Amino acid sequence: SSSTLTVCNVKYAIYLRASASDNGSIICEIPVGSVVENLGRANSTFTKIRWNGKTGYSKTEYLR
């Protein structure tokens, strides 16, 4: 059973990245308020998520 998270603590959008790193290539932007599927913590900074059919990593601090 997967849980969901909401994009928050940011003005406009967060990046969905191809890897769990600030250097990971950007797949897309996810607007604030969007609901994403939580696929689990990747490391201390990033969480693996799925949004709009795309899977990648975003910073945990912007998800709740």
Side-chain angles (χ1 to χ4, degrees), residues 4-10 13-16 30-42 45-51 56-64:
T4 58
L5 296 164
T6 303
V7 177
C8 62
N9 304 327
V10 66
I14 61 172
Y15 291 130
L16 183 68
I30 305 175
V32 65
S34 298
V35 176
V36 302
E37 187 179 348
N38 180 8
L39 302 178
R41 289 292 291 264
T45 309
F46 285 83
T47 296
K48 187 175 186 180
I49 61 172
R50 184 180 296 122
W51 179 74
Y57 301 88
S58 288
K59 284 198 169 175
T60 307
E61 66 185 292
Y62 301 130
L63 301 165
R64 109 173 136 229

Side-chain angles (χ1 to χ4, degrees), residues 15-35:
Y15 291 130
L16 183 68
R17 295 185 181 272
S19 59
S21 157
D22 283 318
N23 301 324
S25 59
I26 296 167
I27 298 169
C28 66
E29 289 188 359
I30 305 175
V32 65
S34 298
V35 176

